[in-house]
Amino acid sequence: MCLEINMKCSCGSEDVTLNLRDGILTPEVIIKVYCPKCSKEVNFDSETMIRDKDWIIEYDIEIAKFFLASKIGISPHIVTPEFIFDEGYATWKETYPGELKEIAGEKAKIIKLLEEDPKAYFQAIKEWAIARANKLKAEGWRKAQKM
């Protein structure tokens, strides 16, 4: 069961939702989140931070290593910010922060087709999803790279 946590970025201007996969890590593993605005002021530390486009998540690596080793036997030597994020142990709920709000209008237009023409709906949603995944990959979002 995933644990979902809500946080404000360091400057307080953005809200984000993060998922902690299978409840292995606790919320304390995430020290801070930096939005594109406040990340400009951060002295980036690759030992404790992951950059996803203009966003940064700062992890408490020691806590992460402890829980990943003690709960599921992962060697502390492979626990990095990239591992934590890319394997979903502490990552965005969405592909990127704010995605669900951003795409609501786009999806609503396509969903209207479902009642009118289900076949057209399935074609439109498929084309939209493929185009969106390609766009997010090109923009450099980490989670999109696995799509």
Side-chain angles (χ1 to χ4, degrees):
M1 177 168 81
C2 289
L3 177 63
E4 192 174 285
I5 59 170
N6 297 306
M7 294 182 73
K8 283 206 171 287
C9 67
S10 181
C11 70
S13 65
E14 298 283 344
D15 292 307
V16 296
T17 304
L18 297 112
N19 271 352
L20 302 177
R21 176 178 156 194
D22 301 328
I24 295 166
L25 299 179
T26 63
E28 293 77 22
V29 79
I30 300 171
I31 295 172
K32 284 187 181 174
V33 174
Y34 302 91
C35 73
K37 231 187 282 180
C38 55
S39 69
K40 293 175 184 165
E41 309 298 319
V42 172
N43 187 11
F44 186 79
D45 177 4
S46 62
E47 297 292 315
T48 61
M49 298 174 171
I50 182 100
R51 185 181 304 276
D52 189 21
K53 241 185 125 188
D54 296 331
W55 287 80
I56 296 173
I57 302 173
E58 182 178 7
Y59 297 109
D60 185 320
I61 294 296
E62 295 309 311
I63 290 175
K65 286 179 179 182
F66 172 78
F67 281 119
L68 289 166
S70 63
K71 289 185 176 183
I72 57 174
I74 292 177
S75 170
H77 296 90
I78 66 168
V79 178
T80 63
E82 292 82 3
F83 177 83
I84 295 167
F85 186 93
D86 294 339
E87 296 302 316
Y89 290 108
T91 189
W92 312 126
K93 175 183 177 182
E94 307 150 298
T95 307
Y96 60 89
E99 178 184 27
L100 294 178
K101 285 183 197 174
E102 188 176 296
I103 65 172
E106 294 174 25
K107 284 181 80 173
K109 290 177 188 172
I110 297 170
I111 289 172
K112 285 182 183 177
L113 282 174
L114 183 58
E115 292 175 10
E116 300 166 16
D117 184 354
K119 201 173 194 176
Y121 162 78
F122 286 113
Q123 185 62 35
I125 199 80
K126 178 181 167 186
E127 289 171 3
W128 174 81
I130 291 168
R132 181 152 184 78
N134 289 335
K135 176 183 174 258
L136 297 177
K137 284 179 186 178
E139 289 176 354
W141 291 104
R142 291 186 74 91
K143 286 178 83 175
Q145 303 310 314
K146 291 186 174 186
M147 295 176 151

